[in-house]
Amino acid sequence: MPTRRLPLLLAAVLALAVPVAPAAAGTDAARVVEEIRLDERTLDLRIDSPALGRVESVRLLLPAGWSAEAARTWPVLYLLHGADADYRAWTEHTDVAAATAGADAIIVLPEGGRCGNYSDWWNQGRHGPPAWETFHLTEVRGLLERHYRAGPERAVAGLSMGGFGALSYAARRPGMFRAAASYSGAVHTLIDRPRWPDGPDVIKLMRLACAGIDWRDLWGDPRIPAQREIWQRRNPYDLAAKLRDTRLYISSGNGETGPLRPPGSGTFEAVAERVVHDMGRALVGRLTELGVPVTTHFYDGGHTWPYWQRELRRSLPMLLRAIGG
């Protein structure tokens, strides 16, 4: 593998048998245009993505002995970031590199966009970029399997917005991921409590975290039945039955002061965690009704990185066992 910046002109990604939205037209042209080797394990890829209409980044943490020319493949764990972060967040805010140092798996940290919500955006019915689901599950997956020795054994985990993404992806693509974990994830996007009027709670949170975004562009207006169906087709709560064959881990705090509260934690961290706690409890209740096994951890704590690092550590053995890593 190169030890310096190296432009690449790779062949078109292998066409994959995964259904795509209209926005995905031309995604077979996705290509890696640059590799940036940061250290022995860390490789950043710059991908020219038709699904996004621009170049975006994916960070890889490579296992010992990895080579692009190896005869074998490696299982893959995708780690998804939150709404106000990017593909570097897990390595900048946690010890994920140390935690996975002995893992026989490729750890994939993809860009998910500011408030991208791991979805192909509806865009008022026009579709088109950004198509984050197509980017991750068709373009990135195809490039990794074609050129970077990624195998078909996959798990996915994420925090906050990424927790939604992990369970939504696993439910929308049954069989693609053997295990999925959500840490403080927005896993029931249609919860709408009377004490917070004017739409689902997830919109209220995103208005705080993602000023300037029109949420009707994402999945439409949930008050309109036909557009509410777009929400339901991506909502882990509504898709719970499709998680039956996926090993699951769901955790969140309750917004109360916990043992890992960092300096400067404030009202948003408490309020946000209370909201996602209710979402997590609701989804776990639905899974229990359906007889779907799930490992849970609900605790005192807020919407902050120290808890997400702890939850990654708690769930990592299960995620890696599921994929043989």
Side-chain angles (χ1 to χ4, degrees):
M1 206 63 192
T3 57
R4 56 185 177 84
R5 291 176 180 259
L6 178 62
L8 294 178
L9 295 177
L10 295 176
V13 61
L14 180 65
L16 298 172
V18 179
V20 295
T27 54
D28 59 338
R31 61 194 180 98
V32 177
V33 295
E34 186 177 21
E35 290 183 343
I36 306 168
R37 192 67 180 252
L38 301 180
D39 57 40
E40 184 178 1
R41 284 191 68 204
T42 309
L43 177 66
D44 284 358
L45 307 179
R46 297 281 289 161
I47 297 174
D48 186 0
S49 164
L52 301 179
R54 61 180 185 265
V55 174
E56 278 296 357
S57 296
V58 174
R59 175 162 291 179
L60 306 181
L61 298 178
L62 300 169
W66 178 89
S67 167
E69 291 75 39
R72 62 163 292 188
T73 61
W74 280 263
V76 180
L77 170 61
Y78 292 81
L79 289 181
L80 310 181
H81 65 73
D84 60 349
D86 63 23
Y87 71 100
R88 299 166 292 190
W90 277 103
T91 50
E92 291 181 348
H93 294 284
T94 76
D95 66 348
V96 62
T100 62
D104 192 35
I106 301 170
I107 313 302
V108 181
L109 313 171
E111 178 60 47
R114 177 178 176 265
C115 304
N117 278 276
Y118 299 96
S119 300
D120 290 359
W121 282 40
W122 184 62
N123 285 325
Q124 308 293 329
R126 298 184 305 274
H127 302 285
W132 290 105
E133 181 177 341
T134 297
F135 174 61
H136 294 136
L137 302 188
T138 299
E139 294 181 339
V140 172
R141 180 171 73 99
L143 288 168
L144 295 180
E145 292 178 2
R146 186 176 177 90
H147 301 293
Y148 294 90
R149 307 309 296 152
E153 307 87 2
R154 309 176 200 91
V156 61
L159 65 93
S160 192
M161 180 183 82
F164 159 81
L167 295 193
S168 183
Y169 280 179
R172 282 173 57 77
R173 309 291 182 106
M176 182 176 286
F177 297 100
R178 296 184 179 182
S182 167
Y183 320 127
S184 304
V187 293
H188 188 356
T189 58
L190 285 167
I191 278 185
D192 184 4
R193 296 171 298 178
R195 67 179 182 270
W196 278 24
D198 304 325
D201 291 355
V202 70
I203 291 181
K204 303 178 188 80
L205 286 181
M206 292 303 180
R207 282 174 179 160
L208 295 175
C210 310
I213 290 178
D214 185 342
W215 289 101
R216 293 171 299 180
D217 289 342
L218 178 57
W219 302 315
D221 187 337
R223 296 169 295 185
I224 299 172
Q227 295 175 28
R228 188 178 183 87
E229 291 178 3
I230 302 172
W231 286 66
Q232 292 170 328
R233 290 197 298 269
R234 289 157 178 79
N235 184 13
Y237 180 89
D238 288 300
L239 302 175
K242 295 182 180 296
L243 294 167
R244 186 174 304 277
D245 296 321
T246 307
R247 299 183 193 179
L248 300 173
Y249 182 93
I250 296 174
S251 70
S252 72
N254 56 13
E256 302 298 324
T257 300
L260 303 180
R261 186 185 187 202
S265 295
T267 302
F268 177 79
E269 287 78 8
V271 171
E273 198 67 8
R274 284 197 291 271
V275 172
V276 297
H277 178 270
D278 289 352
M279 293 180 182
R281 290 281 192 184
L283 176 57
V284 168
R286 180 61 179 148
L287 292 167
T288 301
E289 289 176 1
L290 294 169
V292 178
V294 56
T295 299
T296 65
H297 185 217
F298 295 104
Y299 53 85
D300 291 340
H303 207 69
T304 54
W305 278 102
Y307 295 101
W308 300 327
Q309 172 168 293
R310 184 186 68 184
E311 295 309 300
L312 173 64
R313 285 276 190 170
R314 286 177 65 99
S315 59
L316 191 59
M318 179 275 285
L319 294 167
L320 293 176
R321 279 197 304 271
I323 58 177

